[in-house]
Amino acid sequence: MPHLTTAGTTSPATGADRLGFGIPGYAHPLLAPVEWAELTRPGTPLHWAVLDVADGGPGSRPDPHCLEAAGKLRNAGIRVLGHLDLAHGTRTFGEVVSDAHRYLDWYRVGGFLLDRCPAGPEDLPEVRRMTATLETVLDGGHLVLGHGTHPHPGYAEVADQLVTFCGPWTDYRWSQVAEWTAGHPPERFAHFVHGVPRTHLEEAMRIARWQGAGTIFFTDRVGTGAGAGRADGGRADGGRPGVGRAGQNGAFSSLPGYWDEIVSQIGPGVSE
């Protein structure tokens, strides 16, 4: 089982109501119609879903299928986040804000996932500048920083949520949580894990609760897309893989094989 970096620094979350789903980025609605339809199923404890139109951004023009999918989620009261790729700080401020405006104009998103977000203290001022601008553009909204690892604690002050783990079950089951996270409630943190066997699903949820994560996405899928097997997750820049579906070689593009089971375990139930 995982353990805290310092024993006794936090207490486990209690109650299934602490957990809900964040969808890192299903495949295009034409390729994954069942996945997108399931998000509006009554009783699904869904915090938000990411719309990744063009593998990291909004694309060059509105996509009618993505417009329809986003509209159905909004009408069901579900928050839709646009996917903005920060490329570990190599994209310019103007590029990112331009993508954000397109997401807002075309898809009326209610926030953003800032994927491949830098994690070091030297990049914090620029990320703070970016999130402050996005908050103004959104007039509120929800901002998630997709580090995929524990960043410098200062990042907790510039966004609503941090993705502090994104990777395979083989790493997650032995992972540690940074001591500073104990000073924040579970709704501030998200964990995304692929390759979780059905037989270890309950263990994975216990880990999330003990480590203080309120938003999760667990799947038994493993990466099979382009770039599978590459240590960099298929990214041309060779950096740390991203949170979205491309960054994890497609592992998050489709429903877990045990979707009904996990929904029933952390939600009010599944209507057959």
PDB file of all heavy atoms in Angstrom, residues 2-27:
ATOM      1  N   PRO A   2       0.367   2.370  -0.589  1.00  0.00           N
ATOM      2  CA  PRO A   2       1.139   3.597  -0.583  1.00  0.00           C
ATOM      3  C   PRO A   2       1.188   4.172   0.820  1.00  0.00           C
ATOM      4  O   PRO A   2       0.401   3.813   1.679  1.00  0.00           O
ATOM      5  CB  PRO A   2       0.342   4.510  -1.518  1.00  0.00           C
ATOM      6  CG  PRO A   2      -1.047   4.022  -1.384  1.00  0.00           C
ATOM      7  CD  PRO A   2      -0.929   2.533  -1.219  1.00  0.00           C
ATOM      8  N   HIS A   3       2.076   5.068   1.061  1.00  0.00           N
ATOM      9  CA  HIS A   3       2.164   5.681   2.365  1.00  0.00           C
ATOM     10  C   HIS A   3       2.516   7.148   2.218  1.00  0.00           C
ATOM     11  O   HIS A   3       3.008   7.600   1.200  1.00  0.00           O
ATOM     12  CB  HIS A   3       3.217   4.971   3.224  1.00  0.00           C
ATOM     13  CG  HIS A   3       4.565   4.890   2.576  1.00  0.00           C
ATOM     14  ND1 HIS A   3       4.872   3.940   1.622  1.00  0.00           N
ATOM     15  CD2 HIS A   3       5.682   5.634   2.737  1.00  0.00           C
ATOM     16  CE1 HIS A   3       6.127   4.099   1.225  1.00  0.00           C
ATOM     17  NE2 HIS A   3       6.637   5.124   1.877  1.00  0.00           N
ATOM     18  N   LEU A   4       2.229   7.911   3.250  1.00  0.00           N
ATOM     19  CA  LEU A   4       2.526   9.333   3.247  1.00  0.00           C
ATOM     20  C   LEU A   4       4.024   9.537   3.371  1.00  0.00           C
ATOM     21  O   LEU A   4       4.744   8.723   3.943  1.00  0.00           O
ATOM     22  CB  LEU A   4       1.807  10.025   4.413  1.00  0.00           C
ATOM     23  CG  LEU A   4       0.274   9.910   4.419  1.00  0.00           C
ATOM     24  CD1 LEU A   4      -0.275  10.486   5.703  1.00  0.00           C
ATOM     25  CD2 LEU A   4      -0.319  10.624   3.226  1.00  0.00           C
ATOM     26  N   THR A   5       4.481  10.674   2.847  1.00  0.00           N
ATOM     27  CA  THR A   5       5.901  10.960   2.967  1.00  0.00           C
ATOM     28  C   THR A   5       6.294  11.176   4.425  1.00  0.00           C
ATOM     29  O   THR A   5       7.420  10.935   4.821  1.00  0.00           O
ATOM     30  CB  THR A   5       6.267  12.211   2.153  1.00  0.00           C
ATOM     31  OG1 THR A   5       5.376  13.268   2.514  1.00  0.00           O
ATOM     32  CG2 THR A   5       6.130  11.931   0.675  1.00  0.00           C
ATOM     33  N   THR A   6       5.354  11.648   5.246  1.00  0.00           N
ATOM     34  CA  THR A   6       5.569  11.762   6.676  1.00  0.00           C
ATOM     35  C   THR A   6       4.358  11.184   7.377  1.00  0.00           C
ATOM     36  O   THR A   6       3.239  11.643   7.165  1.00  0.00           O
ATOM     37  CB  THR A   6       5.746  13.235   7.101  1.00  0.00           C
ATOM     38  OG1 THR A   6       6.869  13.775   6.410  1.00  0.00           O
ATOM     39  CG2 THR A   6       5.974  13.342   8.597  1.00  0.00           C
ATOM     40  N   ALA A   7       4.559  10.170   8.197  1.00  0.00           N
ATOM     41  CA  ALA A   7       3.437   9.484   8.834  1.00  0.00           C
ATOM     42  C   ALA A   7       2.651  10.455   9.695  1.00  0.00           C
ATOM     43  O   ALA A   7       3.197  11.290  10.408  1.00  0.00           O
ATOM     44  CB  ALA A   7       3.960   8.331   9.699  1.00  0.00           C
ATOM     45  N   GLY A   8       1.317  10.309   9.635  1.00  0.00           N
ATOM     46  CA  GLY A   8       0.447  11.090  10.487  1.00  0.00           C
ATOM     47  C   GLY A   8       0.177  12.499  10.013  1.00  0.00           C
ATOM     48  O   GLY A   8      -0.366  13.310  10.761  1.00  0.00           O
ATOM     49  N   THR A   9       0.505  12.835   8.772  1.00  0.00           N
ATOM     50  CA  THR A   9       0.308  14.205   8.304  1.00  0.00           C
ATOM     51  C   THR A   9      -1.096  14.457   7.816  1.00  0.00           C
ATOM     52  O   THR A   9      -1.503  15.598   7.651  1.00  0.00           O
ATOM     53  CB  THR A   9       1.276  14.540   7.162  1.00  0.00           C
ATOM     54  OG1 THR A   9       1.068  13.616   6.098  1.00  0.00           O
ATOM     55  CG2 THR A   9       2.712  14.454   7.628  1.00  0.00           C
ATOM     56  N   THR A  10      -1.872  13.417   7.559  1.00  0.00           N
ATOM     57  CA  THR A  10      -3.229  13.608   7.076  1.00  0.00           C
ATOM     58  C   THR A  10      -4.073  12.440   7.505  1.00  0.00           C
ATOM     59  O   THR A  10      -3.574  11.421   7.974  1.00  0.00           O
ATOM     60  CB  THR A  10      -3.262  13.755   5.544  1.00  0.00           C
ATOM     61  OG1 THR A  10      -4.575  14.171   5.147  1.00  0.00           O
ATOM     62  CG2 THR A  10      -2.943  12.450   4.844  1.00  0.00           C
ATOM     63  N   SER A  11      -5.362  12.563   7.346  1.00  0.00           N
ATOM     64  CA  SER A  11      -6.270  11.474   7.669  1.00  0.00           C
ATOM     65  C   SER A  11      -6.994  11.055   6.427  1.00  0.00           C
ATOM     66  O   SER A  11      -7.147  11.832   5.491  1.00  0.00           O
ATOM     67  CB  SER A  11      -7.286  11.943   8.740  1.00  0.00           C
ATOM     68  OG  SER A  11      -8.009  13.057   8.272  1.00  0.00           O
ATOM     69  N   PRO A  12      -7.481   9.811   6.371  1.00  0.00           N
ATOM     70  CA  PRO A  12      -8.133   9.341   5.161  1.00  0.00           C
ATOM     71  C   PRO A  12      -9.467  10.015   4.948  1.00  0.00           C
ATOM     72  O   PRO A  12     -10.161  10.378   5.896  1.00  0.00           O
ATOM     73  CB  PRO A  12      -8.328   7.832   5.434  1.00  0.00           C
ATOM     74  CG  PRO A  12      -8.382   7.735   6.925  1.00  0.00           C
ATOM     75  CD  PRO A  12      -7.459   8.802   7.432  1.00  0.00           C
ATOM     76  N   ALA A  13      -9.828  10.200   3.697  1.00  0.00           N
ATOM     77  CA  ALA A  13     -11.165  10.691   3.382  1.00  0.00           C
ATOM     78  C   ALA A  13     -12.162   9.614   3.736  1.00  0.00           C
ATOM     79  O   ALA A  13     -11.896   8.427   3.633  1.00  0.00           O
ATOM     80  CB  ALA A  13     -11.253  11.038   1.897  1.00  0.00           C
ATOM     81  N   THR A  14     -13.327  10.003   4.171  1.00  0.00           N
ATOM     82  CA  THR A  14     -14.341   9.032   4.550  1.00  0.00           C
ATOM     83  C   THR A  14     -15.594   9.265   3.746  1.00  0.00           C
ATOM     84  O   THR A  14     -15.989  10.391   3.488  1.00  0.00           O
ATOM     85  CB  THR A  14     -14.678   9.156   6.046  1.00  0.00           C
ATOM     86  OG1 THR A  14     -15.108  10.487   6.316  1.00  0.00           O
ATOM     87  CG2 THR A  14     -13.476   8.831   6.905  1.00  0.00           C
ATOM     88  N   GLY A  15     -16.221   8.153   3.341  1.00  0.00           N
ATOM     89  CA  GLY A  15     -17.467   8.263   2.615  1.00  0.00           C
ATOM     90  C   GLY A  15     -17.276   8.339   1.125  1.00  0.00           C
ATOM     91  O   GLY A  15     -16.406   9.020   0.623  1.00  0.00           O
ATOM     92  N   ALA A  16     -18.149   7.608   0.381  1.00  0.00           N
ATOM     93  CA  ALA A  16     -18.032   7.564  -1.074  1.00  0.00           C
ATOM     94  C   ALA A  16     -18.298   8.916  -1.713  1.00  0.00           C
ATOM     95  O   ALA A  16     -17.894   9.170  -2.830  1.00  0.00           O
ATOM     96  CB  ALA A  16     -18.998   6.512  -1.633  1.00  0.00           C
ATOM     97  N   ASP A  17     -19.013   9.819  -0.979  1.00  0.00           N
ATOM     98  CA  ASP A  17     -19.351  11.114  -1.561  1.00  0.00           C
ATOM     99  C   ASP A  17     -18.119  11.984  -1.776  1.00  0.00           C
ATOM    100  O   ASP A  17     -18.190  13.003  -2.457  1.00  0.00           O
ATOM    101  CB  ASP A  17     -20.357  11.841  -0.688  1.00  0.00           C
ATOM    102  CG  ASP A  17     -19.836  12.088   0.721  1.00  0.00           C
ATOM    103  OD1 ASP A  17     -19.003  11.292   1.191  1.00  0.00           O
ATOM    104  OD2 ASP A  17     -20.271  13.070   1.337  1.00  0.00           O
ATOM    105  N   ARG A  18     -16.984  11.584  -1.251  1.00  0.00           N
ATOM    106  CA  ARG A  18     -15.753  12.340  -1.457  1.00  0.00           C
ATOM    107  C   ARG A  18     -15.212  12.151  -2.879  1.00  0.00           C
ATOM    108  O   ARG A  18     -14.430  12.961  -3.340  1.00  0.00           O
ATOM    109  CB  ARG A  18     -14.687  11.868  -0.465  1.00  0.00           C
ATOM    110  CG  ARG A  18     -14.980  12.228   0.984  1.00  0.00           C
ATOM    111  CD  ARG A  18     -14.348  13.522   1.343  1.00  0.00           C
ATOM    112  NE  ARG A  18     -14.462  13.814   2.760  1.00  0.00           N
ATOM    113  CZ  ARG A  18     -13.966  14.893   3.323  1.00  0.00           C
ATOM    114  NH1 ARG A  18     -13.321  15.765   2.580  1.00  0.00           N
ATOM    115  NH2 ARG A  18     -14.110  15.118   4.607  1.00  0.00           N
ATOM    116  N   LEU A  19     -15.564  11.067  -3.525  1.00  0.00           N
ATOM    117  CA  LEU A  19     -15.004  10.752  -4.828  1.00  0.00           C
ATOM    118  C   LEU A  19     -15.992  11.046  -5.948  1.00  0.00           C
ATOM    119  O   LEU A  19     -17.198  10.855  -5.805  1.00  0.00           O
ATOM    120  CB  LEU A  19     -14.599   9.279  -4.901  1.00  0.00           C
ATOM    121  CG  LEU A  19     -13.389   8.827  -4.081  1.00  0.00           C
ATOM    122  CD1 LEU A  19     -13.163   7.332  -4.254  1.00  0.00           C
ATOM    123  CD2 LEU A  19     -12.150   9.593  -4.488  1.00  0.00           C
ATOM    124  N   GLY A  20     -15.467  11.507  -7.067  1.00  0.00           N
ATOM    125  CA  GLY A  20     -16.248  11.680  -8.280  1.00  0.00           C
ATOM    126  C   GLY A  20     -15.316  11.595  -9.468  1.00  0.00           C
ATOM    127  O   GLY A  20     -14.091  11.581  -9.311  1.00  0.00           O
ATOM    128  N   PHE A  21     -15.890  11.538 -10.663  1.00  0.00           N
ATOM    129  CA  PHE A  21     -15.087  11.353 -11.862  1.00  0.00           C
ATOM    130  C   PHE A  21     -14.684  12.675 -12.506  1.00  0.00           C
ATOM    131  O   PHE A  21     -15.473  13.620 -12.584  1.00  0.00           O
ATOM    132  CB  PHE A  21     -15.854  10.543 -12.912  1.00  0.00           C
ATOM    133  CG  PHE A  21     -16.209   9.157 -12.471  1.00  0.00           C
ATOM    134  CD1 PHE A  21     -17.534   8.760 -12.392  1.00  0.00           C
ATOM    135  CD2 PHE A  21     -15.224   8.244 -12.128  1.00  0.00           C
ATOM    136  CE1 PHE A  21     -17.874   7.487 -11.981  1.00  0.00           C
ATOM    137  CE2 PHE A  21     -15.543   6.973 -11.716  1.00  0.00           C
ATOM    138  CZ  PHE A  21     -16.879   6.588 -11.646  1.00  0.00           C
ATOM    139  N   GLY A  22     -13.470  12.704 -12.999  1.00  0.00           N
ATOM    140  CA  GLY A  22     -13.030  13.688 -13.958  1.00  0.00           C
ATOM    141  C   GLY A  22     -12.645  12.920 -15.207  1.00  0.00           C
ATOM    142  O   GLY A  22     -11.916  11.927 -15.127  1.00  0.00           O
ATOM    143  N   ILE A  23     -13.140  13.315 -16.353  1.00  0.00           N
ATOM    144  CA  ILE A  23     -12.861  12.597 -17.599  1.00  0.00           C
ATOM    145  C   ILE A  23     -11.734  13.326 -18.323  1.00  0.00           C
ATOM    146  O   ILE A  23     -11.929  14.430 -18.843  1.00  0.00           O
ATOM    147  CB  ILE A  23     -14.117  12.525 -18.495  1.00  0.00           C
ATOM    148  CG1 ILE A  23     -15.311  11.968 -17.704  1.00  0.00           C
ATOM    149  CG2 ILE A  23     -13.832  11.669 -19.723  1.00  0.00           C
ATOM    150  CD1 ILE A  23     -15.100  10.578 -17.135  1.00  0.00           C
ATOM    151  N   PRO A  24     -10.523  12.723 -18.382  1.00  0.00           N
ATOM    152  CA  PRO A  24      -9.366  13.430 -18.950  1.00  0.00           C
ATOM    153  C   PRO A  24      -9.483  13.757 -20.432  1.00  0.00           C
ATOM    154  O   PRO A  24      -8.829  14.671 -20.909  1.00  0.00           O
ATOM    155  CB  PRO A  24      -8.195  12.461 -18.705  1.00  0.00           C
ATOM    156  CG  PRO A  24      -8.675  11.528 -17.649  1.00  0.00           C
ATOM    157  CD  PRO A  24     -10.148  11.420 -17.842  1.00  0.00           C
ATOM    158  N   GLY A  25     -10.329  13.006 -21.157  1.00  0.00           N
ATOM    159  CA  GLY A  25     -10.470  13.286 -22.585  1.00  0.00           C
ATOM    160  C   GLY A  25     -10.813  12.051 -23.385  1.00  0.00           C
ATOM    161  O   GLY A  25      -9.932  11.320 -23.835  1.00  0.00           O
ATOM    162  N   TYR A  26     -12.108  11.791 -23.551  1.00  0.00           N
ATOM    163  CA  TYR A  26     -12.531  10.682 -24.394  1.00  0.00           C
ATOM    164  C   TYR A  26     -12.171  10.966 -25.852  1.00  0.00           C
ATOM    165  O   TYR A  26     -11.883  12.111 -26.226  1.00  0.00           O
ATOM    166  CB  TYR A  26     -14.040  10.465 -24.289  1.00  0.00           C
ATOM    167  CG  TYR A  26     -14.478   9.719 -23.047  1.00  0.00           C
ATOM    168  CD1 TYR A  26     -15.721   9.971 -22.473  1.00  0.00           C
ATOM    169  CD2 TYR A  26     -13.676   8.750 -22.452  1.00  0.00           C
ATOM    170  CE1 TYR A  26     -16.159   9.284 -21.352  1.00  0.00           C
ATOM    171  CE2 TYR A  26     -14.097   8.061 -21.334  1.00  0.00           C
ATOM    172  CZ  TYR A  26     -15.337   8.334 -20.780  1.00  0.00           C
ATOM    173  OH  TYR A  26     -15.754   7.642 -19.663  1.00  0.00           O
ATOM    174  N   ALA A  27     -12.206   9.924 -26.660  1.00  0.00           N
ATOM    175  CA  ALA A  27     -11.974  10.075 -28.088  1.00  0.00           C
ATOM    176  C   ALA A  27     -13.065  10.970 -28.699  1.00  0.00           C
ATOM    177  O   ALA A  27     -14.074  11.283 -28.057  1.00  0.00           O
ATOM    178  CB  ALA A  27     -11.954   8.713 -28.764  1.00  0.00           C
TER     179      ALA A  27
END
